[in-house]
Amino acid sequence: MRTRSSKRKRVEVEIEDGEVSKYFKKDEEEVRETPLKDVIDVEMVKKMGPETYYDWVQARTKYEVTYGPLEDQPNFPRNFVPIYQKVRLMRSKIATPVDSVGCSMIPLSVGKEFGETKETMLPRTYRFQLLIALMLSSQTKDEVNAKAMFNLMEHCKDVLKNSEGVTLEAMFRIDEETIAQLIYPVSFYTRKALYIKKTIQILKDQFDGDMPPDITGLCSLPGVGPKMGYLALQMAWGKVDGIGVDVHLDRLCKMWRWVDPQKAKSPEHTRKLLEEWLPRNLWYEINPILVGFGQVICLPRGKRCDLCMANDVCNAVDRKVVKSAKNRTELRKSRGNVTKWVEYMEETAHAKETLEPEGDVKLVLEKDDNPLSKTDS
């Protein structure tokens, strides 16, 4: 006698990008504290003024790299060092949206339009605006996100007459429908407006009006998942407790097989697999480096393999694009600026070229190259 197999129970849970999964329960491991968490004195940070706070956070999260071979390790994917050190170099010469209007930059880049600077923006205000920018960022381009934050800032400044702009107190006074109108056209803007109103109340009731200083608290907020949470901890509290894995980082890590695509069914899976082998000192920098690279060079569609220094070691290279000689000097419409990188490639190729045994051209960098300086993301 044949029996029918039982169907998996459908469980609707909200996940970070605003979509709904009907088949999988939320993994409790996603929001638990990492055993390697950074320990900081939260109360000390809360007491910091602008003259101390921003420098303190930057000192804990900045990356300054001189181009040279990374130290390979036995547990690294075989192509990690050859690809990553070249991507690092490219990012030092390429201006990308995440560098100017990424979530951590938005409070100050948008604030600048209203006369706000690091000297005048209170750390608590920065943390709140960073959280709002992160909540708006899901499935939304940085440039659109910045426009939405500009609209909120303009409303708070001009309509509500709040001198600090987007603060918890000011946003508390704006009704949900108005928030939705101001943040249009970010994706899921009506749902995000609801999440923002709920979050404001939670912050007031449970966190003394400030951003939660740990991943558990951040992931308790509606619409906030591990990706947003770890990025918030890095730039708001100077805590590198985990890797912020967005769609670009997730896509590139799978494409290069730095994580097993069969196991990494979501960005959160990618984070866990990546943290198993990636040295902790790279946990912060890998996000802005690969996000900018994915925005301008290795796009989901229309990859610029002709501009990519790693096209000789990349397993996903488009050889037709590489062989098209005219593409390199053809500065197509782009979200970023690759002019300095094109100039660098041409100057380097002209100055020194060597031939591999197979006859391929290999760019050889001068020993005094020191291309990568800190770029806020």
Side-chain angles (χ1 to χ4, degrees):
M1 179 177 177
R2 298 179 61 185
T3 59
R4 296 177 64 182
S5 60
S6 61
K7 294 183 179 180
R8 177 177 293 180
K9 183 180 178 180
R10 294 193 176 195
V11 180
E12 291 197 3
V13 296
E14 294 177 354
I15 57 178
E16 182 173 351
D17 61 4
E19 295 298 330
V20 176
S21 169
K22 297 181 179 180
Y23 299 99
F24 301 100
K25 292 183 179 180
K26 193 169 184 179
D27 185 357
E28 293 299 328
E29 292 293 310
E30 291 184 3
V31 297
R32 73 183 178 95
E33 292 280 6
T34 170
L36 297 175
K37 64 181 180 180
D38 266 349
V39 178
I40 65 166
D41 186 339
V42 173
E43 294 306 315
M44 175 198 72
V45 178
K46 287 183 177 181
K47 294 177 182 178
M48 289 181 180
E51 67 282 354
T52 304
Y53 173 76
Y54 297 104
D55 290 340
W56 182 84
V57 171
Q58 185 181 40
R60 293 180 61 85
T61 57
K62 72 178 180 180
Y63 57 96
E64 292 181 344
V65 185
T66 55
Y67 179 73
L70 293 173
E71 182 179 350
D72 207 346
Q73 297 184 22
N75 61 332
F76 281 4
R78 185 173 58 180
N79 65 350
F80 173 69
V81 169
I83 290 177
Y84 190 64
Q85 64 184 8
K86 291 182 178 182
V87 172
R88 272 173 149 186
L89 172 59
M90 286 183 275
R91 282 292 281 114
S92 72
K93 305 281 185 185
I94 298 169
T96 72
V98 74
D99 299 326
S100 57
V101 286
C103 290
S104 66
M105 294 298 296
I106 279 179
L108 292 170
S109 61
V110 171
K112 184 178 180 180
E113 301 297 318
F114 297 88
E116 296 288 345
T117 66
K118 285 184 178 180
E119 289 72 33
T120 61
M121 183 176 289
L122 295 177
R124 179 185 288 241
T125 300
Y126 172 83
R127 290 192 290 268
F128 180 73
Q129 291 186 15
L130 169 63
L131 179 59
I132 298 300
L134 284 165
M135 294 179 70
L136 297 179
S137 69
S138 178
Q139 296 189 28
T140 300
K141 289 184 177 181
D142 289 336
E143 301 91 327
V144 176
N145 197 16
K147 173 58 179 173
M149 286 297 293
F150 181 93
N151 292 342
L152 289 174
M153 180 70 82
E154 189 174 49
H155 185 86
C156 291
K157 287 267 192 178
D158 296 348
V159 178
L160 301 183
K161 305 301 181 183
N162 187 300
S163 60
E164 294 182 60
V166 178
T167 63
L168 183 144
E169 293 75 16
M171 293 292 289
F172 185 77
R173 296 166 54 192
I174 309 177
D175 61 80
E176 183 181 325
E177 182 179 353
T178 300
I179 292 177
Q181 294 173 354
L182 292 170
I183 65 176
Y184 178 85
V186 303
S187 61
F188 307 105
Y189 62 96
T190 54
R191 180 177 297 177
K192 290 176 180 177
L194 172 63
Y195 288 166
I196 288 172
K197 289 299 291 184
K198 288 183 176 180
T199 291
I200 290 171
Q201 192 63 54
I202 293 172
L203 295 181
K204 286 172 64 69
D205 295 342
Q206 301 179 25
F207 298 101
D208 193 30
D210 209 337
M211 177 193 288
D214 54 65
I215 192 64
T216 302
L218 282 161
C219 287
S220 72
L221 304 176
V224 176
K227 183 261 292 189
M228 296 180 189
Y230 286 119
L231 290 175
L233 289 179
Q234 290 166 13
M235 297 311 300
W237 299 108
K239 298 177 65 175
V240 185
D241 283 356
I243 301 171
V245 177
D246 84 321
V247 291
H248 292 290
L249 187 52
D250 180 56
R251 171 175 59 87
L252 293 173
C253 285
K254 291 175 181 176
M255 183 184 78
W256 290 322
R257 301 298 191 268
W258 291 355
V259 298
D260 186 346
Q262 297 302 314
K263 295 180 180 180
K265 299 297 184 181
S266 71
E268 178 60 8
H269 295 147
T270 296
R271 177 186 71 81
K272 294 176 181 178
L273 292 171
L274 199 57
E275 288 176 1
E276 289 179 359
W277 61 266
L278 188 70
R280 193 178 179 84
N281 65 308
L282 299 180
W283 282 16
Y284 169 73
E285 73 164 55
I286 195 170
N287 178 279
I289 285 179
L290 291 193
V291 169
F293 181 71
Q295 288 177 331
V296 176
I297 299 295
C298 196
L299 297 87
R301 292 181 297 276
K303 295 189 294 185
R304 294 305 307 266
C305 297
D306 54 309
L307 294 180
C308 183
M309 186 183 187
N311 61 28
D312 59 336
V313 290
C314 178
N315 55 291
V317 62
D318 187 331
R319 295 294 175 188
K320 291 183 180 180
V321 175
V322 175
K323 291 180 180 179
S324 182
K326 69 176 182 178
N327 281 351
R328 179 171 294 178
T329 56
E330 179 189 346
L331 299 182
R332 290 181 283 173
K333 184 178 180 180
S334 171
R335 293 176 64 192
N337 190 327
V338 298
T339 304
K340 289 184 178 180
W341 175 241
V342 171
E343 293 173 352
Y344 178 84
M345 291 181 73
E346 292 176 346
E347 291 171 1
T348 306
H350 179 73
K352 184 183 278 189
E353 292 182 349
T354 61
L355 294 179
E356 295 288 347
E358 296 81 8
D360 293 333
V361 174
K362 177 182 178 181
L363 296 181
V364 178
L365 300 177
E366 300 296 336
K367 292 183 180 180
D368 62 349
D369 282 328
N370 181 11
L372 194 54
S373 59
K374 171 69 175 69
T375 305
D376 289 326
S377 64

